[in-house]
Amino acid sequence: MPAGFNTGQIEYIKAIANVNGHKTYKPIGYNRSATASTTNHLNQVTTDSKAAYGVWCLGTKPLMRDASGNIGIPTLPIHELDAFNIPKTANSDGEVSPFHREGDEGFLESTHINMRLLLPHSNGDTTFNPDHVEFRMIVFRARDRQHHLATHHKDTNNYMYNLFRGNANYNIGFSGLQKREEIQGDLTYGVNDAVASSGIYNVQSQDIMTIPVNKESWVVMRDHRFYLGKEYGGKNIYEDTFHWDWKDPIATASSDITETDNEKNYTWYIMLVANNNSLDTQDFPNVSVRFTGTTHMTSG
């Protein structure tokens, strides 16, 4: 909610601005029609190749800084959840569909997402095999605003280099490190493949389930672990929900409603990590993840 306004004041502002006329329900879907059990959405691995992970973000993936100091849209396989693409109506008859908004101005109410994780099988088999798979789910965002447009972004932190608290005065990620004293100064990252096995300079499979998040650079909404597999009664499904109560006035001609001047950071990440806790091998279970949801907006 915008600073300085309570719920009653927000409703009054909406009433006098006449933005309660049309309600938009933007559908959000990822992997909604996939049924193949060979799908694996945790398509990245730690440097020791013993834990798998995947990352999703609300909206378009933002500008980030890489190890060379360049700022741009990352090539990382971040799965985008299309939550904020709500175009204005183009109908000349005045009819506005439930998926469009009326005019430039409106009010972004909320985003609600349902997640369903399925652990169907491993190694291409047709039956459910894993004895034990441990998961960690982290929902987080950067402390300042991240955006895919240079005119709207302020924070270029890259979770691949500084999401976690490391050893020896480093923050670390899956690809490298950042010295802690540089958090408030120039952001510089380092890639240390030569010492990857030490676990000091990037995240290893035996660290990932317990290593603390770097909360100087990132805000955490949720961080918890859960378990699936034969050892847990054959359970192979996990379901969860996420809700963001935005309560923000929006004014933009763009279909991307985050291209507005309210300074809020709408780029939230959902990270899922899977680990069988083996010291030798990882069977990389084919984890299928499905997201469905709705962004609610009023306008007109």
Side-chain angles (χ1 to χ4, degrees):
M1 182 179 296
F5 296 101
N6 59 36
T7 302
Q9 290 170 322
I10 290 292
E11 292 303 315
Y12 175 73
I13 292 171
K14 289 164 61 179
I16 63 175
N18 192 28
V19 293
N20 283 309
H22 178 71
K23 298 184 184 299
T24 303
Y25 296 94
K26 159 69 178 178
I28 304 167
Y30 176 85
N31 191 35
R32 296 183 66 177
S33 60
T35 57
S37 58
T38 55
T39 302
N40 188 7
H41 294 128
L42 304 191
N43 54 359
Q44 302 176 76
V45 296
T46 53
T47 53
D48 58 359
S49 300
K50 294 178 182 177
Y53 65 96
V55 180
W56 291 256
C57 76
L58 288 187
T60 304
K61 58 185 178 181
L63 297 165
M64 291 182 179
R65 184 182 300 270
D66 64 19
S68 300
N70 300 314
I71 297 174
I73 299 295
T75 57
L76 304 172
I78 301 174
H79 308 293
E80 298 175 341
L81 300 176
D82 184 13
F84 304 116
N85 182 31
I86 305 178
K88 295 185 295 183
T89 182
N91 294 344
S92 58
D93 57 6
E95 292 292 326
V96 184
S97 81
F99 310 128
H100 291 77
R101 72 182 201 269
E102 186 174 352
D104 291 350
E105 297 182 358
F107 208 83
L108 179 57
E109 303 283 358
S110 63
T111 297
H112 185 86
I113 291 179
N114 305 303
M115 183 192 79
R116 190 172 194 265
L117 183 152
L118 177 64
L119 188 68
H121 61 77
S122 63
N123 296 329
D125 204 334
T126 57
T127 58
F128 176 66
N129 281 328
D131 294 322
H132 168 98
V133 181
E134 182 179 6
F135 291 87
R136 182 179 182 182
M137 180 172 68
I138 309 174
V139 184
F140 63 99
R141 66 164 172 84
R143 286 208 164 268
D144 214 335
R145 190 181 193 184
Q146 289 193 312
H147 203 273
H148 61 94
L149 295 180
T151 53
H152 288 72
H153 87 96
K154 290 185 176 180
D155 194 321
T156 58
N157 269 298
N158 189 332
Y159 63 84
M160 293 294 288
Y161 296 93
N162 71 350
L163 180 59
F164 303 104
R165 284 291 196 187
N167 302 314
N169 203 38
Y170 293 124
N171 289 315
I172 61 177
F174 296 102
S175 294
L177 61 91
Q178 176 193 31
K179 292 184 178 179
R180 289 182 188 172
E181 62 265 24
E182 294 169 342
I183 293 175
Q184 303 301 328
D186 293 331
L187 295 179
T188 56
Y189 300 129
V191 179
N192 290 270
D193 295 333
V195 290
S197 61
S198 69
I200 295 177
Y201 299 104
N202 49 42
V203 182
Q204 306 289 292
S205 62
Q206 295 302 311
D207 308 321
I208 188 58
M209 293 302 168
T210 57
I211 189 169
V213 174
N214 162 27
K215 294 184 179 179
E216 292 185 25
S217 302
W218 304 93
V219 176
V220 178
M221 173 180 170
R222 196 178 303 179
D223 183 1
H224 73 269
R225 290 185 286 170
F226 57 95
Y227 305 86
L228 299 176
K230 288 182 179 179
E231 294 179 2
Y232 303 97
K235 184 177 179 181
N236 70 327
I237 296 174
Y238 175 84
E239 296 175 326
D240 213 329
T241 60
F242 313 91
H243 187 83
W244 290 268
D245 225 1
W246 305 116
K247 301 297 183 186
D248 293 329
I250 297 294
T252 178
S254 173
S255 295
D256 182 356
I257 59 173
T258 67
E259 293 180 29
T260 186
D261 295 328
N262 65 14
E263 301 299 321
K264 179 170 282 188
N265 186 7
Y266 295 105
T267 305
W268 283 86
Y269 303 92
I270 301 172
M271 175 181 289
L272 286 167
V273 185
N275 192 352
N276 68 355
N277 294 314
S278 170
L279 294 176
D280 300 316
T281 60
Q282 167 63 273
D283 59 11
F284 293 122
N286 290 316
V287 179
S288 177
V289 184
R290 183 173 188 248
F291 289 96
T292 57
T294 303
T295 290
H296 177 206
M297 183 177 181
T298 53
S299 63

